[in-house]
Amino acid sequence: MTEEREKTENVETSDSKEAPARKPRLYGVKVLTVVAVAAFAAAILGLALLTNIMERKQEAQNPFFRVVELNDETYDPAVWGKNFPMQYDSYLRTVDQERTRFGGSEAIHRTPSGADPRSVVSQSRLEEDPRLVTMWDGYAFAVDFREERGHAYMLEDQTFTERQNVVQQPGACINCHASAYPAYKELGGGDIVKGFHALNKMPYREAREHVKHPVACIDCHDSLSMALRVTRPAFMEGMRVLKESEGKKDYDVNRDATRQEMRSFVCAQCHVEYYFKGPEKTLTYPWHKGLKIENMTAYYEEVQHNDWTHKQTGAGVLKAQHPEFERWSQGIHARAGVSCSDCHMPYVREGAMKVSSHHVRSPLLNINISCQTCHKAPESELKYRAEAIQERTYKLRGIAMDALVDLIKDIKAARDGGAGDAELAEARKNQRLAQFYLDFVEAENSMGFHAPAEAARILGESIDFSRKGQASLRNVKMVASR
């Protein structure tokens, strides 16, 4: 027993000496296995990340995949959308109707009729503020004037507005309510300036037959290079005379404008003040003396243009149209080099690509990508600042509107009381100025935001014109009452 115990003890002693030597080897194998698996996983992840980066870089180098060939005869935006699906998808969203506190449209349902098949329209501005009817009495806008809807509706709303039933509208209206570039080419045999003049003098219904789409890709982009371009001859001529007034001869907007300027100019082709010149109804921008309201008023006086004769007073008056470009040009954003597209068509990121949103709308509906890229403040603060400007402008607009309506009533009373044209001349002159100055803020789509100080100045002068007009009637009233 003693010997066996000794053997057993020797064996146990021997095993206990060998065990520590095998454990490190097993541990080492495990460690190596873990390291190998981790290295393999890291390699897979690294490869996937590298592949992703390369794909994104490739996407960035190739801003679009050419699914179809485009050329200067490709007018349908849906075809362009095959190559630019992200831009096209956002372009289609201009059907959205969403209002801000002082602008934008809300969807109002209506029963379609044979004359007007629209089932949805926007809110009536005339019902919101009946003073507009007095201000525009005798003009088609006093019959039907609604809040503007998105680009998707520009052609439909112009085709079916009641204004078409009041007076014969000229084909010149088509220039800014449709994709007019194809019509220019068709009517001009390839010469867009020739086609532009042919379109202007047509009756609206006839001109309407030559267009199919609201503003589309080809109106702002070259089909081959995708570069921005101006296609409206009225804007080309407007910029030429404006630059000439500044001392620069032979300005060609498509040759001489910078890319950043073009990001405003393509919008300004239509968002401007204009009139239809002469019996040819040539769409003309009154920029011969500059972009400020005094410059345009001086031009209208020089060419003796009236948009219509006021029904109640007999005054020859002016209706401001869409002077967004002119008002923006007087504001801080223009001075800072910020374009229309920077705020209304902000860049959005799709994967590695940065694309310009074509869902054109108020920046107040896109504060995070429209405003906060430059202004480092909370959305609520930026919205407050913008609406505070708009609210102050809106209140001042109301005071100016009351003053103008008072003037119109006084002129009408004097006229009804027997006052003649000579006695009413000074009051009518002031009505013309008060009307145009007020309308220059009323018709512009920002309620003062594009140039707050300029808007306040213009409205203040409008009030002054109205009160001077009333003052000029004091003696006339005495004469009329004798």
Side-chain angles (χ1 to χ4, degrees):
M1 291 294 289
T2 304
E3 290 180 0
E4 289 180 357
R5 183 178 298 167
E6 288 177 352
K7 288 179 180 177
T8 302
E9 288 176 352
N10 288 338
V11 169
E12 289 175 350
T13 303
S14 175
D15 289 345
S16 64
K17 288 180 179 177
E18 291 177 4
R22 286 202 299 271
K23 285 182 179 177
R25 284 201 296 273
L26 287 173
Y27 179 74
V29 170
K30 290 179 181 178
V31 169
L32 285 174
T33 302
V34 171
V35 170
V37 170
F40 180 74
I44 294 296
L45 290 173
L47 183 61
L49 179 61
L50 184 61
T51 302
N52 184 272
I53 291 172
M54 292 179 66
E55 287 177 350
R56 298 298 180 227
K57 284 186 174 180
Q58 191 67 22
E59 287 177 5
Q61 291 174 353
N62 297 285
F64 68 96
F65 294 98
R66 195 178 300 276
V67 178
V68 294
E69 292 297 325
L70 303 177
N71 58 44
D72 210 41
E73 305 295 325
T74 310
Y75 305 138
D76 188 347
V79 177
W80 288 61
K82 294 179 180 179
N83 285 354
F84 304 97
M86 288 175 283
Q87 289 89 342
Y88 183 62
D89 285 349
S90 60
Y91 165 84
L92 294 177
R93 292 189 64 193
T94 58
V95 297
D96 290 351
Q97 287 190 249
E98 186 174 0
R99 70 175 304 170
T100 61
R101 187 175 171 191
F102 293 99
S105 62
E106 56 185 298
I108 307 295
H109 293 277
R110 69 176 297 278
T111 302
S113 66
D116 184 353
R118 293 177 297 174
S119 59
V120 174
V121 293
S122 57
Q123 68 272 28
S124 169
R125 293 292 314 283
L126 302 181
E127 293 175 4
E128 285 183 346
D129 193 338
R131 293 176 298 181
L132 293 170
V133 177
T134 302
M135 186 169 85
W136 293 327
D137 199 359
Y139 199 47
F141 276 80
V143 175
D144 185 15
F145 175 57
R146 296 178 178 276
E147 190 67 69
E148 293 87 351
R149 297 199 285 176
H151 283 171
Y153 297 110
M154 60 164 60
L155 183 55
E156 179 182 273
D157 284 350
Q158 187 184 55
T159 301
F160 298 111
T161 175
E162 278 294 312
R163 295 196 294 274
Q164 295 286 0
N165 301 321
V166 176
V167 295
Q168 175 66 60
Q169 303 281 352
C173 297
I174 288 290
N175 285 285
C176 292
H177 285 263
S179 180
Y181 184 70
Y184 296 153
K185 291 190 67 177
E186 175 201 346
L187 294 169
D191 183 337
I192 65 169
V193 175
K194 187 177 178 181
F196 162 74
H197 288 292
L199 187 75
N200 283 323
K201 59 188 178 186
M202 284 183 179
Y204 180 83
R205 295 299 180 193
E206 183 180 343
R208 178 66 179 80
E209 297 297 319
H210 292 276
V211 295
K212 296 180 179 177
H213 305 285
V215 65
C217 317
I218 201 163
D219 294 290
C220 300
H221 290 280
D222 182 281
S223 59
L224 299 179
S225 67
M226 298 302 121
L228 292 172
R229 66 173 179 178
V230 167
T231 58
R232 299 303 195 261
F235 186 80
M236 298 173 190
E237 176 64 10
M239 288 302 296
R240 189 191 68 77
V241 299
L242 174 64
K243 293 295 182 180
E244 190 168 284
S245 74
E246 297 170 352
K248 185 170 185 176
K249 302 286 186 182
D250 302 323
Y251 182 83
D252 182 330
V253 64
N254 282 317
R255 182 193 62 204
D256 299 329
T258 67
R259 181 179 180 279
Q260 183 65 1
E261 287 175 328
M262 290 296 278
R263 298 184 76 237
S264 291
F265 289 172
V266 291
C267 307
Q269 295 185 87
C270 297
H271 289 266
V272 292
E273 165 62 7
Y274 61 82
Y275 78 109
F276 301 144
K277 183 179 181 180
E280 299 294 312
K281 301 296 182 185
T282 304
L283 178 65
T284 304
Y285 301 163
W287 298 343
H288 304 66
K289 299 177 184 294
L291 291 178
K292 299 188 73 172
I293 189 167
E294 289 84 356
N295 304 137
M296 283 176 270
T297 302
Y299 171 80
Y300 282 137
E301 293 301 318
E302 184 175 291
V303 300
Q304 298 185 330
H305 172 72
N306 299 324
D307 280 315
W308 88 104
T309 300
H310 197 274
K311 187 176 180 180
Q312 296 182 34
T313 68
V317 279
L318 300 165
K319 167 75 178 73
Q321 304 300 332
H322 309 286
E324 280 84 35
F325 177 64
E326 295 91 337
R327 287 280 306 288
W328 162 84
S329 71
Q330 304 303 312
I332 186 64
H333 286 90
R335 298 287 297 179
V338 178
S339 73
C340 307
S341 301
D342 287 320
C343 303
H344 295 277
M345 301 176 67
Y347 285 115
V348 294
R349 185 164 291 283
E350 299 282 353
M353 287 191 290
K354 189 176 69 171
V355 300
S356 179
S357 171
H358 285 58
H359 185 192
V360 184
R361 58 180 180 163
S362 167
L364 292 178
L365 299 171
N366 268 330
I367 290 175
N368 59 333
I369 56 175
S370 292
C371 311
Q372 289 184 312
T373 50
C374 296
H375 300 284
K376 305 305 179 187
E379 277 195 35
S380 58
E381 171 62 19
L382 295 175
K383 185 178 180 183
Y384 168 79
R385 292 181 195 174
E387 290 186 344
I389 290 170
Q390 292 181 319
E391 184 170 7
R392 290 164 190 160
T393 306
Y394 184 75
K395 287 183 177 177
L396 194 53
R397 165 203 173 269
I399 296 171
M401 188 82 75
D402 284 340
L404 177 59
V405 170
D406 288 346
L407 173 60
I408 290 171
K409 288 178 179 176
D410 286 357
I411 298 175
K412 181 178 183 302
R415 190 185 188 195
D416 292 344
D421 289 343
E423 294 166 305
L424 297 176
E426 186 64 19
R428 285 171 172 168
K429 173 187 170 185
N430 279 288
Q431 180 193 348
R432 173 185 171 89
L433 292 170
Q435 146 76 30
F436 188 54
Y437 274 56
L438 169 58
D439 225 354
F440 206 72
V441 176
E442 164 64 26
E444 196 261 346
N445 289 324
S446 80
M447 191 51 73
F449 183 78
H450 283 151
E454 179 71 351
R457 181 189 73 84
I458 291 171
L459 290 173
E461 295 205 33
S462 173
I463 295 168
D464 188 49
F465 289 133
S466 290
R467 298 312 182 199
K468 285 178 177 174
Q470 287 183 288
S472 74
L473 291 171
R474 289 174 183 166
N475 293 332
V476 173
K477 286 179 180 176
M478 291 173 63
V479 171
S481 63
R482 283 202 296 267

